[in-house]
Amino acid sequence: MNKALPAVSLRVPTDEDAFAWHRVFADPEVMEFHGGRSAELSVYEELTARQRRHDAERGFCLWSVLDDSGDVVGFTGAQPWPHEWGPSGEIEIGWRLGRAHWGRGYATAAAEATLERLRAVGVPHVVAMVDARNERSIAVTRRLGMRLAETFTTPSSEREGRCYRLDL
C-alpha cells in the first residue's frame, strides 16, 4: 500500500530563505552526508542568490520546498554537476530537508515536482550522487525510478558513493 505524498510547493529561493535554510540545516543529522555541519549564513545568502540567477538563466535551480503551511522545510532541485570527477556536464538532482520532515514523503514529493519542472524545460536525463551510507536518499532514488549507474569514491572524503540515473 502506497501512502499519499504530502502537498509541497517549490519556489525560487528568496533572500529570507537563506535564513530558513541555515536554520533547518543546522542539525548535525541533516548534515551528516554534507560535511557534518551547517555552513555559515553568508554561504546560504550567496547560494540563494546564485539559485535565483540559475532559475532565470536555465529554468531550474535549487528551489525552496514549502509545506502546506507555507513554511520552508528544505530545498530540492537540480544543478550542473560542479566537479571534475564524476558525471561532468550532467544535471544532478538533489534534495535536503530539515529533520522534522524526514520519513513523511516530503523528499519524494519535492523530487517528483523537480522532475516535472526539468522535463518542462527539456532536460533529457538527470543523475543523483548519493553517499552509499545515505539509505534515506537511496530510497528516494528508487521511488523516483532511478537506476544505479556506477559507484565511486569521493576524492575529498574517500567515501563510497553511488551515481543513479534517470532518463526524463
Side-chain angles (χ1 to χ4, degrees):
M1 172 189 262
N2 291 336
K3 68 179 183 176
L5 295 176
V8 298
S9 58
L10 308 182
R11 74 168 178 220
V12 176
T14 65
D15 287 333
E16 293 78 26
D17 289 350
F19 296 96
W21 289 6
H22 185 253
R23 184 183 68 254
V24 297
F25 302 150
D27 184 331
E29 282 188 83
V30 171
M31 299 305 292
E32 178 181 1
F33 304 110
H34 308 284
R37 62 185 178 89
S38 184
E40 297 296 323
L41 176 59
S42 61
V43 172
Y44 292 109
E45 290 170 328
E46 189 281 325
L47 181 59
T48 55
R50 186 169 4 119
Q51 298 319 303
R52 290 189 291 277
R53 286 191 308 275
H54 286 186
D55 189 73
E57 294 167 1
R58 298 183 176 119
F60 60 88
C61 66
L62 295 177
W63 294 288
S64 288
V65 177
L66 292 87
D67 65 11
D68 60 357
S69 299
D71 293 327
V72 174
V73 300
F75 67 60
T76 188
Q79 300 282 288
W81 179 249
H83 305 290
E84 296 292 321
W85 59 275
S88 295
E90 298 201 51
I91 302 301
E92 180 195 24
I93 183 174
W95 46 86
R96 188 182 310 163
L97 299 176
R99 177 71 182 94
H101 294 85
W102 290 3
R104 297 169 49 195
Y106 282 94
T108 301
E112 286 179 352
T114 294
L115 293 176
E116 289 176 25
R117 289 184 176 200
L118 293 173
R119 285 183 187 100
V121 297
V123 173
H125 57 270
V126 294
V127 297
M129 302 293 278
V130 181
D131 186 299
R133 299 169 303 144
N134 190 343
E135 295 176 14
R136 291 178 183 280
S137 282
I138 290 169
V140 172
T141 67
R142 287 188 191 118
R143 287 190 288 274
L144 296 175
M146 300 184 88
R147 62 178 168 71
L148 178 62
E150 62 186 286
T151 60
F152 60 92
T153 300
T154 305
S156 60
S157 68
E158 297 296 317
R159 289 185 179 167
E160 180 185 336
R162 297 180 183 165
C163 177
Y164 294 87
R165 294 187 184 280
L166 180 67
D167 291 329
L168 301 179

